[in-house]
Amino acid sequence: ADRRGMLVKSRKFARVLRELGSKLALVSPSLRAGELRQAVTLINDRLPPCLYFPLFSDRYSLFWLLSIRAEECKVFHTNKRAPFLCVAEINVVTLAGGKSPETTPGPE
């Protein structure tokens, strides 16, 4: 996959998660956990291959998203929002020597 295509997939995934949070805020607090699990299961079933999150520290690492653990997701209750926590299975690849994401092995 090319770099631009992978970035587009990652941005779309982040947008889907933001929209999910907005939708959960409209659901009754007692039903939010079930709605979250159902939505995350659907998202997980539709995860594209080679979905990554570029995170920077002292080294450049790629976090290839393999799956989301729907049963471990949690909704935090606030008055106006519905922030949530997702637990994901990832494959971490630390890039050395200026390698780019498209030349790095993807999810196994």
Side-chain angles (χ1 to χ4, degrees):
D2 65 63
R3 184 183 304 198
R4 185 179 189 297
M6 291 188 302
L7 182 59
V8 167
K9 288 177 189 178
S10 295
R11 293 176 106 182
K12 181 179 179 182
F13 179 70
R15 187 182 73 239
V16 166
L17 292 180
R18 281 192 311 273
E19 291 172 357
L20 175 56
S22 297
K23 290 176 185 176
L24 286 173
L26 303 174
V27 175
S28 169
S30 64
L31 301 175
R32 287 179 183 168
E35 289 290 322
L36 175 62
R37 284 188 195 94
Q38 184 177 13
V40 168
T41 298
L42 184 61
I43 291 168
N44 200 36
D45 289 344
R46 296 179 179 177
L47 279 178
C50 296
L51 181 61
Y52 81 100
F53 293 96
L55 299 176
F56 299 90
S57 63
D58 55 343
R59 297 182 298 222
Y60 183 72
S61 296
L62 285 176
F63 293 79
W64 296 100
L65 183 62
L66 304 177
S67 67
I68 304 171
R69 307 285 303 169
E71 65 278 359
E72 295 182 43
C73 292
K74 178 177 175 37
V75 180
F76 300 99
H77 300 286
T78 65
N79 289 335
K80 296 182 181 182
R81 300 181 310 129
F84 59 93
L85 169 75
C86 284
V87 176
E89 177 185 6
I90 59 171
N91 181 19
V92 180
V93 178
T94 301
L95 303 179
K99 290 184 181 177
S100 64
E102 62 268 14
T103 62
T104 304
E108 298 173 359

